[in-house]
Amino acid sequence: MHYRLGVDVGGTFTDILLIDPATGRTFRAKTPSTPHDQSVGVLAGIEKVRAEARIPLSEIGQLLHGTTVATNAILEGKGARVGLVTTAGFRQVLQIARSFVPGGLAGWIIWPKPEPLAALEDTVEAVERVASDGSVVTPLDEDALRASLGRLRGVEALAVSLINSYAFDGHERRVAEIAAEELPGVPVSISSAVLPELREYERTITTVANAYVQPQVARYLDNLAGRIAEGGVTGSLNILRSDGGLASASAAAGSPVNLLLSGPAGGVAGATWVAEQAGFPDFLTFDMGGTSTDVALVQGLRPRVGRETRVGDLTVRSASVDVRTVGAGGGSIAHVPELTRALRVGPQSAGADPGPAAYGRGGEEPTVTDANVVLGYLPARLAGGEIVLDRERSRAAVAGVAEAMGLPSVEAAAQGIVDIVNENMFGALRLVSVQQGFDPP
């Protein structure tokens, strides 16, 4: 008999579900995530659920994994330093981008334009040109390219996006070969493989995003595959994609831009199953984790699948369940900027290590979890008793916010933190409902 194992790694907790296909019996486990090597937390959860089910690891025939590794890298700005190779004359493609200013005219005043994932100083031009029909107008100047790549030493990943490469990919593939010689060990993403479509900006930003998260995702999947094999799991490892489909571990590592909403897509699929059993065909999903909150609209038990994936301020051309993700979770850090003296919550998160101050693991910054502890909204223990919440540590952390804002009590500061994060999450719910023309009853 072969069991099926589901794994969902979040920024704070790792959830495990073991299913016996023959009987439908399920076993569950929850364990703290291990940011330094998330495969450690996964293995701890697998061992915990295996012990409860009393089966050997060799009985696990399939491991299905939803992960937020790529999502969190984008939300927290902790991806790789990316180098970019463009066609000569297109070096500022990411800076020019597309004209979009939220909030109307006031956006020009109050909206700070997000920094590109590949800095201008890490962008070089390749002397080459391909026509829209795929014919070569200007051959690739390999000597000039080698000299340009020499200026990118120190980048952790490389993206290559040449004009009209969707019609002819020969130049991009040659750039990748030369980059492997000039920048050994640096993973290379080429746009003709990631997104072989016209529109150079969308193709470039999607390829850069793929490179931005690729080293982190590849390391994680390599570690996970190695560790579960050492632990005795013989079944196949499949990763949940943003569109709700599955990919092999190797395919996922090569194209991680398709995993940006892996975890959230799994949450929508699970919510749809539960709603179907309960008789609700139309509903909004709400999935609040430790680092982010994910919401989606489902109609007729069919999640909406879009052609684009949006995470925070980033939009890439990759099919995904229409989930809106905001950096508002239990571990989101509250802070008061020196300049504005206005309370902010997120997108930075305390994660699982050190975690919120209440965990007693060295965290000192106030988080949403700490605010909820101060207000008495959380029990004394979490994760089946593995985590004991320290109310005094939470009060000490939130007290810093109260002092910075001149509030009369710690409870007032905690309520302010909760109000702000609630408003952020409510805004996400509006994005997938009323702002798209759907009026919830």
Side-chain angles (χ1 to χ4, degrees):
M1 180 184 297
H2 289 290
Y3 288 75
R4 299 175 67 190
L5 184 75
V7 179
D8 179 32
V9 177
T12 305
F13 291 108
T14 295
D15 295 287
I16 310 291
L17 173 65
L18 183 68
I19 300 176
D20 181 348
T23 64
R25 190 180 180 190
T26 62
F27 304 87
R28 298 175 178 83
K30 193 179 192 74
T31 186
S33 295
T34 49
H36 66 283
D37 184 353
Q38 292 191 354
S39 60
V40 174
V42 171
L43 283 177
I46 292 176
E47 177 57 30
K48 187 175 180 180
V49 78
R50 179 209 66 79
E52 182 182 347
R54 298 181 180 178
I55 63 168
L57 291 174
S58 58
E59 285 293 312
I60 299 175
Q62 189 177 30
L63 196 155
L64 311 175
H65 184 15
T67 174
T68 57
V69 172
T71 313
N72 293 341
I74 295 293
L75 285 176
E76 299 183 28
K78 294 180 179 179
R81 177 185 169 189
V82 180
L84 173 62
V85 179
T86 69
T87 298
F90 290 82
R91 182 167 176 253
Q92 293 179 319
V93 60
L94 294 182
Q95 284 71 26
I96 296 174
R98 297 291 182 196
S99 177
F100 170 70
V101 179
L105 183 60
W108 290 103
I109 303 171
I110 65 176
W111 185 60
K113 189 173 182 180
E115 288 294 324
L117 297 181
L120 189 60
E121 56 266 29
D122 289 332
T123 303
V124 298
E125 297 172 298
V127 177
E128 67 86 40
R129 189 65 185 235
V130 173
S132 60
D133 62 358
S135 60
V136 176
V137 177
T138 303
L140 177 65
D141 188 332
E142 297 188 4
D143 292 336
L145 175 65
R146 290 181 186 276
S148 296
L149 290 176
R151 301 199 300 271
L152 295 182
R153 301 191 190 283
V155 299
E156 300 168 304
L158 184 69
V160 182
S161 183
L162 305 180
I163 191 70
N164 295 327
S165 62
Y166 63 90
F168 173 71
D169 64 359
H171 284 180
E172 283 197 347
R173 294 192 178 279
R174 182 53 185 156
V175 170
E177 293 173 357
I178 295 174
E181 300 172 6
E182 299 296 324
L183 303 171
V186 175
V188 180
S189 298
I190 60 174
S191 70
S192 53
V194 174
L195 186 70
E197 298 179 4
L198 50 75
R199 291 184 175 271
E200 68 275 8
Y201 171 70
E202 285 76 9
R203 184 157 43 84
T204 301
I205 189 61
T206 302
T207 305
V208 169
N210 192 79
Y212 185 76
V213 300
Q214 188 171 31
Q216 192 168 342
V217 172
R219 280 195 302 269
Y220 169 64
L221 293 180
D222 285 345
N223 286 341
L224 178 60
R227 286 180 178 274
I228 63 175
E230 292 174 4
V233 177
T234 58
S236 61
L237 173 61
N238 296 282
I239 311 300
L240 188 68
R241 298 198 313 256
S242 300
D243 60 2
L246 291 171
S248 66
S250 59
S255 188
V257 73
N258 294 320
L259 309 181
L260 289 180
L261 291 182
S262 168
V268 174
T272 301
W273 184 88
V274 172
E276 183 177 12
Q277 313 312 306
F280 295 102
D282 305 317
F283 56 94
L284 294 172
T285 70
F286 181 89
D287 182 3
M288 179 180 178
T291 304
S292 62
T293 293
D294 314 307
V295 301
L297 173 73
V298 178
Q299 288 182 297
L301 296 176
R302 286 183 173 272
R304 301 181 64 191
V305 176
R307 187 66 184 86
E308 295 182 334
T309 299
R310 298 176 183 171
V311 178
D313 292 324
L314 176 70
T315 300
V316 297
R317 187 66 62 84
S318 175
S320 69
V321 175
D322 187 15
V323 175
R324 302 303 169 92
T325 298
V326 292
S332 294
I333 296 172
H335 57 102
V336 182
E338 190 72 30
L339 180 62
T340 63
R341 312 301 298 175
L343 179 61
R344 298 285 184 268
V345 182
Q348 292 296 325
S349 173
D353 184 15
Y359 288 7
R361 296 178 176 173
E364 298 180 351
E365 295 181 285
T367 67
V368 174
T369 294
D370 293 311
N372 282 307
V373 170
V374 169
L375 295 174
Y377 295 160
L378 290 177
R381 295 174 178 270
L382 295 177
E386 287 190 31
I387 296 178
V388 179
L389 299 180
D390 189 327
R391 189 167 185 271
E392 293 308 313
R393 289 180 184 272
S394 291
R395 288 187 63 85
V398 177
V401 172
E403 181 180 351
M405 299 190 67
L407 295 175
S409 67
V410 174
E411 285 76 14
Q415 188 61 57
I417 293 171
V418 171
D419 287 345
I420 287 177
V421 79
N422 284 345
E423 187 63 29
N424 290 341
M425 293 185 291
F426 178 67
L429 287 169
R430 289 181 59 86
L431 283 174
V432 297
S433 57
V434 294
Q435 289 190 17
Q436 296 191 56
F438 299 98
D439 187 13

